[in-house]
Amino acid sequence: HDNKTQMTMTTNREEDNLLSTNSSSSDGDGYKLVRCERGRIIEYAKTRMSDMTASRRLAIKLSKYSWYCPPSANDNINNNVKNGSNNDGEYGDRSDDSKAAEHKMPSLNDGWEYFERVTLPRHHINHKHTKTKTTNSNDNADDDDDDNADDSDDNDAYSLRDSLRDIHVRAKPGEFSEPTELYSVWKTPEKDLGDFGIGIGLYFSTLRLLAIITFIAGLILLPNMIYFASDEYNNDNDTNATNDTNNTRSFIIESSAICRNTQWLPCPTCTEDQWNFFPRTGRHLAFANVNANVNNSINTIDDDHQQQQQQLAFILVNNCTINFRTGLISWIALAFVSFSILLLNTLYRKHHEIGFDESQQTSQDYTIHITNPPTDATSPDEWNEFFTQLSLTTSSNTTNTHMMEPVVGVTVSLNNQELTRALVQRRKYLYDLEVRLPHKQVRRLNIVSNPNPQTLAEAVAIASPLVWWERLYLMHSPQALLTNIQVIDKRIDDISKSIHEAEEQWKVMMMMEEKKKKKKAEGDNDNNHHPPSSSSVPSFSYYDASSVFVTFQTEEAQRSMLRALMITPSVSNTSSDLLFRGTHQLHVKESVEAGEMRWLDLADTTMQRLKKLAITTTIHIITIIVGCIIVFYCRHYDAYYAALAITCLNSITPTLCNQLVYYESHSYEGAKETSLYVKVTISLWMQTAVITAVITPFTETITDDKAGIIYSLFAIYAFEIGRGPLMQLLDVYGHVQRHIFAPWAPNQRRMNLMFQGAYWKLAERYTSMTNILFLTFFYSSIFPIGFFLSSLALLIHYWTDKFCLLRNWSRAPHLGSKIAHSSAFFFMAAVVFFAVCSAYSFADFPYDNACQVEGSVAGNAYVGDFIAHDMDGREVEISVEENSPNYFYCNQDMMYYSPIAFPPIASKQPYGQEWMTSDQERTTTLLGYTALGIVIFVLCRLMFFFIIVPIRSRLSQSFTPEGLIGKEIFTKVKEISAYIPQVKLYGYPFPLILCNLGHINNDYIGWTSPRRSHEFYNVINDIPSLKGLPLFANAKQWIPISSSSSYGTLSSSFPIKDKHQVI
C-alpha cells in the first residue's frame, strides 16, 4: 500500500473493526503485518522475544502459574500478535455490532503491549535521519525554484546541520501506522536523548562530564590520600596515642584526614566554661585529682571544695601535621575543578544545547510567543493577516512562497483558567469513577460523555469499592467522587450563569450601539447625502486574550519576525508596520516547546504567582528547620543514625517539595521544574552537608571516632551510591503494579492503568547530581577520596537513569534548557564552597583548640600516670612525661570569629594564640586569597546575570540567533506538534484538550489514541449549554496542500483557498 493509503488508514482507524483479521504476512524483517478485513495495515506487532522488555519476558514465564494471573488474564500472553485489541484498554469498536467486546476479559498481553507501545518511548525503524537535499519533490514549483536559487553557503550550512541530526526519529505514543521499536539502553547514543527534550539531553551530557571531572580531580588528590594514610601524617609510634592502628581499616577511611595520633597533655588554665558552647563536646577536656596519680600514695581529702581546687586539667592534642605539598595539591585540584565548571557552564553547555536543538526540528524552532496581546485580539485570522503583511514588509526575498504566506498556525490563549480548571478536575473525577465500573457497563452508562445525575448515581451503586491498598493511597471512594463532581458542577453552573448574564448585557449594549449608529447615519445622510458606511460588529468575548503563539512555515521566517519585533520598548519612532493594529507594540520572545506549556497557569498574573510562591517558600523554610532538628537529635546518639536520618529525609524531601510546587503557578514546565530543583537542592544541601558541619563539634572534625564527621560522610556516600540507583532499578512500585495488581484487574482499562510507568521529575535527577557534587566539594580537604566516590556515584546515576528513562519511567513533557541554566548557579555556588571550605579546613588544622605555651613545661604535679574523667564522665588514662609542654585553650574555628576572618590567613589569628606552622601559613595564604578571588568572580557573574542583563534587556532589546537555520519546513517535519492547549492527567495516558479542534489537523496534536478520537478528550464538549461561545483558546492552522498530501490525508470538506488548506 502506498503512503497515502496508510495515512488515510491512520486518520480513520477508529472506523475499523479490530475484532476480525483475515490475513497477515511477514515483512521479512521479523515483524508481522496484521491486516483488518478491509485489507489495510493497522499495526506492526512484534513477534520476537528479544524485542520485549525483560519484565515482560518474566511475565510470560510466570503466566503459566495460576497464582500469578488467572486464566482469563493469561489469554494470549505468549502470543505477541494482537487480535482485536487496542492499547486504550478496550477491545474492538464501540459500534452496536461489537457485542463481543463487552464480554471480552482483560488480557495481560494487551497490558504489556500498552506498556511497551504507549508508555515506553519508541522510535521509527525505517525513518532514521539522513542527509536530505535542498530541493524536495513534494514541494510546489515555487519552492523548487527558491531552493535551487540558494547559494552554496546555504547548502554547506544545511549539510552541516544535517550531519548533526540524531540517528532515530521518536514515534508518537500509540503509533501503529509504521514499524517502531524500543530505544536500546546500550546502543542509543547520547545525542538521541535530546529527543526527550533538550533539558534531558543536557542532563545526561552534564552527568557524564561531571563524572570525568571528579575522577580527574581524584587522581590529582591521590598523593594527599596516600599521605593521610601514611605514618608520616599520623606518626603512630608514640606510645601515648589513645587509639591504636587498625590494620583492617578500609582505605576509604585511612585515606581521609582522620588523626589517630592524639595525646593528653597538661592545660593548667583550661576550664569547663571554655567548652560550653554549641555544639558541645566533652571528650577533649579531662580532669584528674592530685591524688589520682597512681604513683603517689592515696591521700584522703575531706573538703570537697579543696579537692576541686586541686584538680589537674588535661587537653587532648592532635599531633598530626600537614605540609605545604598537601595544600598545593589541594589548590591544583581546586583550580582544575573551578576551570572545568566554568567551561561546563559556558562553552560546553551552550555547544551541547545547540547540538541537541539542531539534531531535531521541533515546534519551538518555528514559533514565537506574544505575551502582551490586546485583550480583545482573540481572532487567529487577524494575527495571521498581521504577520503575513509584516513578512512581506520585512523580507528581502519576496519571491519565496514560505515568506509570502509564512503562517501555518495561530493559537490565542484566554484568561479562562477558572473554567478550564473546573472542567479538567471534573473530567479527572469522571475518569476515576469510570475505571471502577464493570467492563460491560462502561459503554452502557457512558458517564464521561453523558454524566447526567441518573447515570452517575447508577455508576456509584455498581462501582467497585476501595480495596485495602487503595485506602493506603488515600484514593477517593465512588461516593466521594460523586460528591466532588456535584460540587464542581455547581461551580460550573455559577460560571455559566455569569457568562450568560454577560452575554445578555452585551447584546443589549450592541443593540443600543447599533441604534446610535443608525441615528447618526440618518443625520449624516440628511446633511451630506452620503450612504451609511458598513462596519463589522465585534463578537462577544467573555474572556480576554492572554498569550498568542504564532507558528511559521520556516525557521527563517520565525527568526525574521523575532529580529523585527524584539525592539526597545522606549523607542518612539517605531514603524507603524511593526505595531499591531498600528498602535500596539508587541512583546515577543521565542516560545518554549509545545508540550512544555502549562496552559492552565498561562494567564495567571505576576502577583498571583508571587503570592503562591511566598506561601510555598515559607512552608519550605519550616520543613528545612524541622529536618535539621531531626538530624541533630539523631546525631546526638550516633553518626550512623544521623546518616540514616539524612538518607530518609533526602528520600522524603522531593515528595514534600513536589507537593509545594504543585500549588505554585508556572507558565511552562521548565519553570516549575526549576522551582522544584531549587527547593529540593537547598533542602538537601542543608540536610546533607551544612547541618552535618554545624552539629558536629569542631574538635571532632578529624577524630577517629564514629561520632566524627568522616564516618558520617562515609555512611552518606554509601547510602547515596547504593540506595538511590538500587531503588530506581528495582522499581518496586512499578513491578508491584505490573506483576501483582495488573493480572488481577477486573477490566482492561484498570489493568492498563497499572502499566503507566514510574512518575519522575527531571528536577529530582538534577538535584541528586548537584547534591553529590556539593557534598564532595564541601569536605574535599578532609575527605579527598570523595571525588572517586562521587565519580562512581555519577557514573551509576548515568546508566541507571538512562535505563529507567527507556524502560521504567512514564512519559514526561519535553523540557527546555531552563533547568540546566539554573544548575549553573548551583555549580558556581558549589565551587565557592569548595574554595572557602578548603581555605578554612587548612587554616583550622589540627582541630583541637589547643595552643602550646612557648618555653613552658609541665609542673611536677602533672608528671606521671593519672586516672582522669572527661566532661562527659568517661574514664581516661593519662601519662605525662617530664619536659612535656603546657597548653592553653585557643579557639581555632576561624569561621566563627567575630568579625569573620575571611580570607582565613595566618594574620587573622588572635595575637598570642597562634597555632599555625610555617607550612600551614603558606598554604592558607595560597588557598585563602584564591577563595577570595573565586568569591569575587562569582559575585560579579551573579550581578551580571541578575542586574546588568535585565537592565540591558530593558534598555536595548534585540534577538541574537543561536545555531544554524533549519531548511525543513514545518509541515515536512516528522512527528512535530502544534501549540494545542492540553493538560496531562496523572495516571492516564492521554491529555485533555482545551480548545476547539475544528480548524486543526489532528496529525499535529502530538499523540494518537489507538481507539478514541481526539474529540473524546476535549473538555469543551462537556458543557453543551455554552457550545458555540468563544470561551476557550482559539487555534487555527493554514496547511499548504502540497505539505498535507505528504504528511497525512485531510478531509475533503474543508475549503481550498490560495493554495492553502484552511483547517
Side-chain angles (χ1 to χ4, degrees):
H1 300 283
D2 58 15
N3 184 57
K4 183 176 180 179
T5 302
Q6 291 190 31
M7 299 315 298
T8 305
M9 170 277 301
T10 306
T11 306
N12 301 292
R13 189 182 298 112
E14 269 61 355
E15 301 176 0
D16 297 332
N17 186 349
L18 305 183
L19 286 176
S20 60
T21 59
N22 62 354
S23 64
S24 63
S25 62
S26 176
D27 63 354
D29 194 24
Y31 295 89
K32 184 171 288 186
L33 309 184
V34 184
R35 303 174 186 272
C36 69
E37 60 182 5
R38 299 183 185 181
R40 290 187 303 218
I41 301 172
I42 62 172
E43 65 176 293
Y44 289 73
K46 289 182 177 297
T47 56
R48 295 178 297 185
M49 290 284 290
S50 59
D51 292 324
M52 302 179 186
T53 60
S55 187
R56 183 178 183 180
R57 293 197 295 268
L58 176 63
I60 292 176
K61 293 180 180 179
L62 296 178
S63 61
K64 60 183 178 180
Y65 302 105
S66 59
W67 54 265
Y68 178 76
C69 67
S72 58
N74 191 26
D75 181 36
N76 290 331
I77 182 64
N78 293 295
N79 183 10
N80 197 31
V81 180
K82 293 161 39 114
N83 291 318
S85 62
N86 61 70
N87 285 334
D88 199 31
E90 302 292 343
Y91 288 81
D93 187 73
R94 272 193 170 180
S95 57
D96 293 336
D97 56 352
S98 299
K99 301 299 182 183
E102 298 182 3
H103 305 285
K104 185 94 172 177
M105 296 300 293
S107 170
L108 191 58
N109 178 65
D110 294 327
W112 282 103
E113 279 286 294
Y114 172 88
F115 178 67
E116 293 181 352
R117 292 184 172 271
V118 178
T119 300
L120 297 183
R122 304 176 71 87
H123 65 84
H124 291 280
I125 297 176
N126 298 326
H127 283 82
K128 295 184 179 182
H129 282 314
T130 56
K131 185 181 297 185
T132 57
K133 298 180 180 180
T134 56
T135 59
N136 194 320
S137 59
N138 291 330
D139 293 346
N140 53 41
D142 292 337
D143 297 339
D144 290 336
D145 294 339
D146 297 335
D147 292 337
N148 289 331
D150 290 340
D151 56 24
S152 60
D153 292 339
D154 292 337
N155 292 332
D156 293 341
Y158 187 37
S159 300
L160 176 59
R161 183 186 178 93
D162 268 345
S163 67
L164 298 174
R165 300 300 296 270
D166 53 4
I167 298 176
H168 301 113
V169 179
R170 186 181 179 184
K172 293 180 181 179
E175 175 67 57
F176 288 96
S177 60
E178 297 178 1
T180 61
E181 66 181 359
L182 295 170
Y183 282 87
S184 171
V185 176
W186 301 106
K187 297 180 181 180
T188 299
E190 192 174 274
K191 66 178 181 179
D192 267 11
L193 299 178
D195 292 349
F196 302 88
I198 296 178
I200 295 177
L202 289 175
Y203 165 71
F204 281 100
S205 64
T206 303
L207 198 62
R208 175 177 53 83
L209 181 61
L210 288 177
I212 297 174
I213 291 175
T214 51
F215 181 78
I216 296 176
L219 292 178
I220 295 174
L221 291 171
L222 189 59
N224 283 6
M225 304 177 203
I226 297 174
Y227 173 72
F228 287 144
S230 66
D231 292 339
E232 182 183 358
Y233 172 72
N234 276 286
N235 191 19
D236 286 334
N237 296 326
D238 197 324
T239 58
N240 293 330
T242 59
N243 295 288
D244 294 331
T245 302
N246 187 353
N247 294 326
T248 62
R249 190 186 307 273
S250 67
F251 179 75
I252 294 178
I253 300 298
E254 287 281 347
S255 61
S256 68
I258 282 183
C259 182
R260 298 185 303 276
N261 184 7
T262 59
Q263 184 180 10
W264 290 98
L265 290 173
C267 184
T269 60
C270 289
T271 63
E272 290 189 20
D273 294 338
Q274 296 171 335
W275 298 83
N276 287 332
F277 55 86
F278 177 84
R280 184 183 180 278
T281 179
R283 302 183 179 186
H284 287 256
L285 184 64
F287 294 95
N289 295 329
V290 174
N291 60 348
N293 190 329
V294 296
N295 296 323
N296 295 338
S297 59
I298 300 178
N299 299 320
T300 302
I301 303 179
D302 297 330
D303 188 356
D304 293 338
H305 178 70
Q306 181 180 0
Q307 181 177 358
Q308 183 177 2
Q309 293 295 325
Q310 296 183 7
Q311 282 184 333
L312 304 177
F314 298 89
I315 192 171
L316 188 62
V317 177
N318 294 331
N319 291 325
C320 298
T321 58
I322 56 173
N323 51 39
F324 178 72
R325 188 191 66 175
T326 305
L328 180 61
I329 292 175
S330 296
W331 180 86
I332 296 174
L334 172 61
F336 166 76
V337 170
S338 301
F339 183 71
S340 300
I341 295 296
L342 179 62
L343 291 180
L344 169 64
N345 288 341
T346 53
L347 301 179
Y348 181 85
R349 179 177 288 112
K350 180 176 284 294
H351 172 74
H352 278 72
E353 181 180 351
I354 295 175
F356 285 125
D357 182 51
E358 292 182 342
S359 67
Q360 57 179 336
Q361 289 292 104
T362 62
S363 54
Q364 180 184 14
D365 298 320
Y366 301 91
T367 305
I368 65 173
H369 180 192
I370 302 167
T371 59
N372 68 328
T375 57
D376 59 343
T378 59
S379 172
D381 293 305
E382 184 181 10
W383 290 101
N384 179 25
E385 181 181 354
F386 169 74
F387 281 101
T388 300
Q389 184 62 37
L390 181 60
S391 177
L392 295 175
T393 304
T394 58
S395 175
S396 59
N397 186 8
T398 57
T399 62
N400 191 328
T401 303
H402 301 319
M403 298 304 294
M404 295 174 63
E405 298 170 335
V407 179
V408 294
V410 173
T411 300
V412 182
S413 176
L414 308 180
N415 61 346
N416 60 349
Q417 59 269 31
E418 181 185 14
L419 176 61
T420 52
R421 284 170 180 166
L423 290 174
V424 169
Q425 190 61 51
R426 178 176 180 268
R427 183 69 77 98
K428 175 67 166 61
Y429 290 142
L430 289 173
Y431 278 176
D432 291 344
L433 181 58
E434 187 185 49
V435 298
R436 311 200 70 82
L437 298 179
H439 179 72
K440 60 183 180 179
Q441 299 295 333
V442 173
R443 176 180 176 272
R444 184 180 68 84
L445 294 177
N446 196 19
I447 62 172
V448 174
S449 301
N450 184 29
N452 58 70
Q454 292 77 17
T455 56
L456 287 177
E458 184 179 355
V460 171
I462 63 177
S464 60
L466 296 178
V467 296
W468 62 269
W469 63 269
E470 292 175 322
R471 296 180 185 275
L472 291 178
Y473 284 100
L474 302 178
M475 299 179 67
H476 293 291
S477 66
Q479 186 59 46
L481 292 173
L482 177 60
T483 302
N484 293 336
I485 293 172
Q486 292 172 345
V487 172
I488 294 179
D489 283 341
K490 177 64 170 58
R491 190 191 315 162
I492 294 176
D493 289 341
D494 294 339
I495 297 174
S496 301
K497 183 178 179 181
S498 301
I499 293 174
H500 285 302
E501 291 177 354
E503 184 183 17
E504 292 299 325
Q505 295 176 3
W506 175 82
K507 290 179 179 179
V508 172
M509 185 179 64
M510 287 297 101
M511 292 176 60
M512 296 176 62
E513 189 70 22
E514 188 65 23
K515 289 180 180 179
K516 290 181 180 179
K517 289 182 179 181
K518 288 183 178 180
K519 187 175 180 180
K520 182 178 180 181
E522 291 174 358
D524 293 340
N525 289 338
D526 294 339
N527 297 330
N528 304 322
H529 304 284
H530 289 304
S533 60
S534 60
S535 60
S536 60
V537 179
S539 60
F540 169 71
S541 179
Y542 185 76
Y543 295 111
D544 297 331
S546 60
S547 292
V548 178
F549 298 87
V550 182
T551 302
F552 299 92
Q553 183 72 302
T554 64
E555 188 174 355
E556 180 183 358
Q558 181 235 27
R559 294 191 177 188
S560 176
M561 293 299 103
L562 289 173
R563 280 191 294 266
L565 295 175
M566 291 186 68
I567 55 179
T568 305
S570 60
V571 175
S572 58
N573 58 348
T574 302
S575 173
S576 60
D577 294 332
L578 302 178
L579 302 178
F580 187 74
R581 296 175 177 174
T583 58
H584 189 82
Q585 184 168 327
L586 301 176
H587 296 167
V588 301
K589 61 181 180 180
E590 186 177 10
S591 177
V592 299
E593 292 289 351
E596 194 179 351
M597 298 303 305
R598 292 177 55 83
W599 298 96
L600 293 181
D601 297 340
L602 191 59
D604 287 347
T605 63
T606 303
M607 188 56 63
Q608 289 174 322
R609 292 193 174 112
L610 291 177
K611 181 179 178 181
K612 294 179 180 179
L613 183 62
I615 295 174
T616 57
T617 302
T618 302
I619 299 175
H620 177 231
I621 294 174
I622 295 175
T623 59
I624 292 177
I625 296 174
V626 172
C628 293
I629 293 174
I630 293 174
V631 174
F632 171 74
Y633 278 103
C634 292
R635 178 67 175 75
H636 180 72
Y637 292 99
D638 193 274
Y640 281 100
Y641 290 156
L644 182 61
I646 290 172
T647 302
C648 293
L649 288 172
N650 290 353
S651 301
I652 298 173
T653 295
T655 303
L656 295 177
C657 293
N658 194 32
Q659 292 298 319
L660 293 177
V661 175
Y662 175 79
Y663 292 102
E664 296 178 357
S665 176
H666 300 281
S667 58
Y668 56 99
E669 287 292 339
K672 179 184 176 183
E673 292 281 336
T674 301
S675 178
L676 178 62
Y677 173 50
V678 171
K679 287 181 172 59
V680 178
T681 300
I682 293 176
S683 296
L684 296 191
W685 283 17
M686 292 296 297
Q687 294 164 181
T688 304
V690 178
I691 186 59
T692 303
V694 170
I695 66 177
T696 301
F698 173 78
T699 52
E700 295 182 8
T701 302
I702 58 174
T703 185
D704 186 19
D705 191 279
K706 289 186 177 181
I709 202 170
I710 301 296
Y711 286 88
S712 298
L713 288 176
F714 177 70
I716 292 172
Y717 272 108
F719 282 121
E720 192 65 39
I721 293 175
R723 187 256 326 160
L726 182 62
M727 293 302 295
Q728 287 180 215
L729 289 176
L730 292 178
D731 189 20
V732 177
Y733 176 78
H735 285 301
V736 168
Q737 292 280 90
R738 295 189 288 271
H739 290 284
I740 297 180
F741 295 138
W744 299 90
N747 55 61
Q748 193 66 41
R749 293 200 67 200
R750 295 191 67 180
M751 177 182 288
N752 285 356
L753 291 180
M754 306 298 177
F755 288 91
Q756 294 296 309
Y759 183 68
W760 68 286
K761 289 284 189 181
L762 181 61
E764 297 177 10
R765 311 315 314 142
Y766 267 98
T767 298
S768 297
M769 173 179 64
T770 311
N771 190 46
I772 293 173
L773 200 67
F774 178 76
L775 184 67
T776 302
F777 290 175
F778 196 88
Y779 295 107
S780 60
S781 297
I782 62 175
F783 198 66
I785 201 173
F787 280 97
F788 284 139
L789 298 178
S790 175
S791 180
L792 176 62
L794 293 173
L795 184 64
I796 292 175
H797 276 274
Y798 181 93
W799 286 106
T800 54
D801 288 352
K802 186 178 181 181
F803 174 84
C804 292
L805 176 69
L806 304 179
R807 291 296 183 269
N808 285 347
W809 288 341
S810 61
R811 296 196 313 270
H814 284 224
L815 298 177
S817 58
K818 180 174 177 59
I819 190 171
H821 292 166
S822 300
S823 68
F825 298 108
F826 283 101
F827 291 162
M828 287 192 295
V831 171
V832 169
F833 276 98
F834 186 5
V836 173
C837 291
S838 296
Y840 278 106
S841 295
F842 281 91
D844 295 343
F845 202 87
Y847 298 96
D848 55 9
N849 284 344
C851 291
Q852 183 177 347
V853 180
E854 295 293 337
S856 174
V857 296
N860 294 331
Y862 282 95
V863 176
D865 299 327
F866 298 87
I867 303 296
H869 294 82
D870 62 21
M871 291 188 296
D872 291 336
R874 286 182 292 268
E875 184 178 284
V876 294
E877 296 182 1
I878 300 176
S879 179
V880 179
E881 299 178 352
E882 294 183 3
N883 299 323
S884 295
N886 286 325
Y887 282 80
F888 66 95
Y889 175 85
C890 61
N891 184 10
Q892 299 173 351
D893 193 356
M894 300 182 71
M895 187 173 292
Y896 290 93
Y897 281 5
S898 181
I900 187 172
F902 186 77
I905 55 180
S907 61
K908 301 289 185 178
Q909 298 176 98
Y911 178 76
Q913 299 184 16
E914 296 84 0
W915 68 88
M916 294 186 187
T917 64
S918 59
D919 280 359
Q920 195 173 354
E921 290 179 355
R922 294 169 60 195
T923 301
T924 55
T925 300
L926 178 63
L927 291 173
Y929 284 111
T930 301
L932 179 61
I934 291 177
V935 169
I936 294 174
F937 175 78
V938 170
L939 288 178
C940 291
R941 284 187 62 86
L942 293 178
M943 290 178 60
F944 175 78
F945 282 116
F946 292 105
I947 299 178
I948 305 299
V949 171
I951 294 176
R952 190 171 63 179
S953 63
R954 283 185 171 273
L955 297 178
S956 177
Q957 217 176 39
S958 61
F959 171 69
T960 303
E962 294 180 352
L964 302 174
I965 298 179
K967 294 293 183 179
E968 302 94 331
I969 63 174
F970 178 84
T971 50
K972 294 294 183 182
V973 179
K974 185 69 176 176
E975 307 294 353
I976 201 167
S977 302
Y979 284 78
I980 309 300
Q982 306 175 52
V983 59
K984 182 73 170 67
L985 292 182
Y986 173 68
Y988 292 92
F990 301 109
L992 299 178
I993 300 173
L994 309 175
C995 71
N996 190 345
L997 297 179
H999 302 287
I1000 296 298
N1001 187 329
N1002 291 347
D1003 290 327
Y1004 296 99
I1005 293 179
W1007 50 271
T1008 301
S1009 172
R1011 197 188 62 81
R1012 285 169 167 160
S1013 67
H1014 289 97
E1015 287 296 340
F1016 172 81
Y1017 302 94
N1018 201 336
V1019 297
I1020 72 172
N1021 301 321
D1022 293 354
I1023 316 179
S1025 61
L1026 297 179
K1027 218 163 189 180
L1029 295 178
L1031 303 176
F1032 299 92
N1034 298 322
K1036 193 171 184 179
Q1037 288 180 324
W1038 297 265
I1039 307 298
I1041 291 297
S1042 61
S1043 299
S1044 61
S1045 63
S1046 65
Y1047 186 86
T1049 301
L1050 304 178
S1051 173
S1052 59
S1053 62
F1054 294 124
I1056 298 177
K1057 180 181 179 182
D1058 296 336
K1059 297 185 296 182
H1060 280 69
Q1061 184 76 52
V1062 182
I1063 302 175

